[in-house]
Amino acid sequence: MGLYASGTNDPKEVRNWRIHLLAFAVSMSAMAIGYDSSFIGGTQALVSFKRDFGLNVHSQHVRDTLAGNIVSTFQAGTFFGSLLTFPIAERYGRKKGMVLSSIVFCVGAAIMTSSDGRLSMIYAGRAITGLGIGCASLIVPVYIAETSPPSIRGRLIGVFEILSQGGGMLGFWINYIVDRTIDPTGPTQWLIPTSLQLVPGALLFVAALLAPESPRWLCKKDDWDRARINLTFLRMLPRDHEFIKEELAGIKDQIEFEASRSGAETFKGKVKEMCSKGNRNRIGIGLILMACQNLTGVNIITYYSPRIFETLGITGTSTKLFATGFYGVAKTLGMIIFSVWLVERLGRRKGLIYGAFIGSLPMWYIGGYVMKADPAKVAAAGQYSRNGWGYLAMVCVYLYGFIYCMSWQGITWVYCSEIFPIGIRMICVAITTADQWLWSFIVSRTTPYMITSLGYGTYFFFASLMILMGIWAFLFIPETKGLTLEDMDRLFGVPERSSGDGINGDSHDGGEKGGAKFEEMARGGTI
C-alpha cells in the first residue's frame, strides 16, 4: 500500500514536490507555534530569567501565579487572534491573512526581546505573539487543506504538525544549550531563546508572499480564471486535464449548493447554514475534538516540563532541561511517523480511538509512581537515588508524548481543517481553533496549581479523561480519509441534492461507486 489514501482517482502527478514544498513553507507558522509553546517553560527555569524578572524571590503560590500568567497570556492572544482573523481571511484571502499573521507575530517577539526585565512587556509580547499565532493557526491548516489533493491531504496537514513539534523540540534544546554555555550573570542567556522567535516569523512572511492564493477561495470570489491557473500550478497538470475540470466542477457545484441553502453571503446566512442539519454536528465534533486535545494533559508537560520532571525527582536546571529536550524529540518522532505512514493508512477515527486508550497507560503509571514514591519530596530532602521504577516513569513521559503526537495532536487539526463546507469553512475553523486555544488557556492557567495541590492526582485526572475520549471517538467520529472536501456533506448527513447535482455519488468515482464508499464510511463511525 502506498503512503497515500486509497479509493481516490488522484493521478500521481498531483502528489508532486511543489505541493509538498508549499505545505512545508507555510508551515513555518507551525514552527513558530511549537517554539513559542515550548521555549517559555524552559526559559522561566533559567537562572538569569528568574533573577531579571523577579521569579526567584516569591512564595511557591506567587511563582505559580507568575508562571501561569506568562504562559496563559499567550493562549489569551491566540484565542482572540483566531476569532478576529476570520473576516480578514474571508474578505482578503488566505495569502494576505498569512502575511498579516507573520507581521503581528514578529512585533510581539520584538517586544519580548526588548523587555529588559519588565514583566509587563513579557505579558504584552506574549499576548501579541499569541494574536499572530491565533491568526496563523486558523488560516494555515485551512490553506493547506484547500490546496491539497484528497489522497495526501492528511499528510500535508501533518507537515504543519511535524514542524510544530519540531519547533517545540528546538525550544526545549535551545534552553538546555544556553543554560550550559551562556554565563547567567547578564541577560544574554534568556535573550537568545526569546529573540529566536523572530526566525520562523520572518520565514513565514517570505513564504506567504510567495505562496499562490487558495484556488477554492478564488472560486468563492468568482475569480475562476485565477483559480484554474493556481490549481494547474499546484497539481502540475495541463490546464485542460480531466482531473482539473472535475475538481473545479466539484467546487462550483458545492458553492452553488451552499448558496441555495444559506440564501446570501451575509453573517446571518452563515449562522443559518452553521445551524442546519449536517453542519451543526460537524461543529459539535470539532469543538469537542479541540477540547479533548488539551484535556489529554499534553500541555501540562509541554508548558511546564521542567516542573513535571521535578515531580519525578530530577533536580538541577540543566538536568531538567536535558530531560525536557528528549521529550521534544519523542513528540517530533511521533508526529513524523503519524504524518508519513499512519494518517492516510490507519485513518483518523482509529487513530483517535487507539491513541486515547493506549496513551492513557503512561499517565496511569506516572501517577502511580508519584503517589507511591513521592520522588520530589525525597529528592528535596537529599535522600533520593533513582531506581528502575523511576527511570520507567521518565520513559513513560516520553512514550506519552510519542503516542499523543501519533494520534490526537495531528488528527485533531487535520479533521477540523477538512470537514467543513467551503461557504462556512473559515468561520467554523475559527470557532474550533478559538476553542482549542481557550482550553489551552484553561489548562495552562490551572496546571501549576494542580501540580502543587493534587500532585499524583493530576496524572490520574488526565488519564481518566483520555479513557472517556476514546469511548466518545468510537461512538461519534466518522472516517474522512480519501474523501474530497466537497464529499464531506454526504458523510455528515447534509440533505441530498437532486440527482443531477452530483452529490449522490462521489464526484470522481461515479454514483454507484461513490455511494458504496459512503456506506463504508458510515460503518466507520456513528454520524
Side-chain angles (χ1 to χ4, degrees), residues 32 120 199 225 235 252 263 312 348 429 451 512:
S120 59
V199 175
D225 289 337
R235 300 292 179 258
K252 182 178 181 181
L312 300 181
R348 284 60 152 162
V429 177
I451 297 171
E512 182 177 350

Side-chain angles (χ1 to χ4, degrees), residues 360-439:
S360 71
L361 299 178
M363 277 289 197
W364 288 117
Y365 178 83
I366 296 169
Y369 171 73
V370 173
M371 178 179 66
K372 184 171 179 61
D374 198 359
K377 182 178 179 181
V378 177
Q383 303 170 353
Y384 184 71
S385 61
R386 186 167 300 282
N387 55 28
W389 300 110
Y391 284 113
L392 182 57
M394 288 186 61
V395 170
C396 282
V397 173
Y398 302 142
L399 182 61
Y400 167 77
F402 181 78
I403 295 171
Y404 169 80
C405 283
M406 285 202 301
S407 53
W408 284 82
Q409 172 69 25
I411 294 174
T412 300
W413 288 100
V414 171
Y415 209 84
C416 289
S417 299
E418 67 185 3
I419 62 174
F420 299 113
I422 189 171
I424 57 172
R425 180 174 298 140
M426 191 56 70
I427 190 172
C428 290
V429 177
I431 292 170
T432 56
T433 302
D435 181 58
Q436 196 281 144
W437 292 117
L438 173 64
W439 282 99

Side-chain angles (χ1 to χ4, degrees), residues 249-426:
I251 296 170
K252 182 178 181 181
D253 189 43
Q254 180 74 15
I255 291 173
E256 291 176 349
F257 177 58
E258 290 175 16
S260 69
R261 282 166 54 84
S262 60
E265 281 294 303
T266 63
F267 181 77
K268 182 178 179 180
K270 290 181 184 297
V271 171
K272 180 180 178 182
E273 181 71 4
M274 289 164 60
C275 296
S276 64
K277 181 180 179 181
N279 287 331
R280 56 179 178 261
N281 57 337
R282 285 186 253 194
I283 295 173
I285 288 174
L287 291 173
I288 296 173
L289 272 176
M290 287 301 192
C292 288
Q293 183 196 49
N294 287 280
L295 292 174
T296 57
V298 67
N299 284 338
I300 71 171
I301 304 175
T302 300
Y303 293 128
Y304 301 101
S305 45
R307 180 79 182 279
I308 295 299
F309 284 110
E310 185 179 300
T311 68
L312 300 181
I314 297 176
T315 58
T317 301
S318 292
T319 307
K320 287 185 282 188
L321 292 175
F322 184 76
T324 297
F326 279 104
Y327 175 69
V329 171
K331 290 181 69 181
T332 303
L333 287 176
M335 186 54 64
I336 291 172
I337 292 173
F338 163 78
S339 300
V340 176
W341 286 285
L342 293 182
V343 65
E344 301 297 5
R345 300 179 70 175
L346 180 64
R348 284 60 152 162
R349 181 174 182 269
K350 289 181 180 178
L352 291 173
I353 296 169
Y354 295 156
F357 289 121
I358 299 174
S360 71
L361 299 178
M363 277 289 197
W364 288 117
Y365 178 83
I366 296 169
Y369 171 73
V370 173
M371 178 179 66
K372 184 171 179 61
D374 198 359
K377 182 178 179 181
V378 177
Q383 303 170 353
Y384 184 71
S385 61
R386 186 167 300 282
N387 55 28
W389 300 110
Y391 284 113
L392 182 57
M394 288 186 61
V395 170
C396 282
V397 173
Y398 302 142
L399 182 61
Y400 167 77
F402 181 78
I403 295 171
Y404 169 80
C405 283
M406 285 202 301
S407 53
W408 284 82
Q409 172 69 25
I411 294 174
T412 300
W413 288 100
V414 171
Y415 209 84
C416 289
S417 299
E418 67 185 3
I419 62 174
F420 299 113
I422 189 171
I424 57 172
R425 180 174 298 140
M426 191 56 70

Side-chain angles (χ1 to χ4, degrees), residues 3 12-13 53 135 227 232 274-275 291 303 309 364 368 439 498:
L3 299 179
K12 63 181 181 179
E13 290 85 357
F53 292 93
C135 176
T232 301
M274 289 164 60
C275 296
Y303 293 128
F309 284 110
W364 288 117
W439 282 99
S498 62

Side-chain angles (χ1 to χ4, degrees), residues 11 14 113 116 118 141 187 211 245-246 300 393 410 450 463 479 484 504 507:
V14 304
T113 303
D116 193 26
R118 288 167 287 185
K245 294 178 181 179
E246 288 183 359
I300 71 171
M450 291 181 68
E479 184 57 72
T484 69
N504 294 318
S507 59

Side-chain angles (χ1 to χ4, degrees), residues 118-130:
R118 288 167 287 185
L119 267 175
S120 59
M121 291 188 68
I122 290 291
Y123 293 151
R126 289 285 288 172
I128 294 172
T129 56

